Amino acid sequence: MTMKDKQKGGVLIVSMIMLLLLTLLAISSMNTTIMEEKITSNYKDKNTAFQAAEAALRDGETYLRDTTPLPIFTGENGLYQPTNTGAPRWNLVVWSVAAQRRSYAGLAGVVDQPNYIIEELLPILNPNGTAEVGVELENQFYRVTAQAVGASETAVVMLQSVYKR
């Protein structure tokens, strides 16, 4: 009996098992890489939407700072009075209707330009606000709400700030 007759193909079986393990390892690594790329893409998209909403929010605050005198808030062009129920307006606005919001234009890389509304809040009396005895100063506050989408319609960000004028 020669050495050649005693071989039963054990090396072939072991090498096939090793090849199968390496293939499974490669497939697992590729799935992990693909998942990480999706996470990074979603993060970038959400960050783009956040930056667009931030730009619209600052535009609303600039409007409040620079517009003198402010127009009467009638509910048109994104300028709202407080609701009778106390419910926030941003929940009631249909953001896709142009007459119900204000737009901030000029941003690249977003599906749609960001929008915002300005709500006039009830004034707050400040008893220490004037030099005249018995006269209270009214502090007027406004809530600016911005809504933006990123590079895809799935990334939507809404930001708010309260502005004192």
Side-chain angles (χ1 to χ4, degrees), residues 18-33:
M18 291 298 291
L19 184 61
L20 178 65
L21 289 175
L22 286 174
T23 303
L24 290 175
L25 183 64
I27 290 172
S28 175
S29 296
M30 285 301 296
N31 285 339
T32 301
T33 302

Side-chain angles (χ1 to χ4, degrees), residues 104-140:
Y104 179 76
L107 291 180
V110 293
V111 172
D112 193 14
Q113 295 300 311
N115 303 301
Y116 65 92
I117 63 167
I118 301 173
E119 299 172 74
E120 185 175 28
L121 301 176
L122 296 173
I124 297 175
L125 297 178
N126 182 355
N128 301 324
T130 65
E132 189 176 345
V133 177
V135 177
E136 294 180 338
L137 176 68
E138 279 189 1
N139 291 325
Q140 189 60 52

Side-chain angles (χ1 to χ4, degrees), residues 153-164:
E153 293 181 1
T154 58
V156 179
V157 172
M158 191 172 276
L159 298 176
Q160 287 185 334
S161 70
V162 175
Y163 188 88
K164 177 183 172 186

Side-chain angles (χ1 to χ4, degrees), residues 36-137:
E36 287 174 353
E37 284 181 7
K38 287 180 181 179
I39 290 169
T40 302
S41 176
N42 287 340
Y43 176 77
K44 181 180 180 270
D45 196 18
K46 193 72 162 184
N47 189 39
T48 301
F50 178 81
Q51 298 299 330
E54 185 77 22
L57 194 70
R58 297 299 166 241
D59 191 53
E61 292 172 351
T62 301
Y63 176 83
L64 287 171
R65 184 188 69 221
D66 295 344
T67 306
T68 304
L70 282 175
I72 298 172
F73 284 47
T74 60
E76 295 178 7
N77 200 20
L79 304 175
Y80 292 96
Q81 290 284 328
T83 59
N84 295 335
T85 62
R89 285 279 181 193
W90 53 271
N91 277 341
L92 306 173
V93 170
V94 180
W95 290 94
S96 60
V97 177
Q100 293 188 11
R101 47 138 170 105
R102 302 176 71 79
S103 290
Y104 179 76
L107 291 180
V110 293
V111 172
D112 193 14
Q113 295 300 311
N115 303 301
Y116 65 92
I117 63 167
I118 301 173
E119 299 172 74
E120 185 175 28
L121 301 176
L122 296 173
I124 297 175
L125 297 178
N126 182 355
N128 301 324
T130 65
E132 189 176 345
V133 177
V135 177
E136 294 180 338
L137 176 68

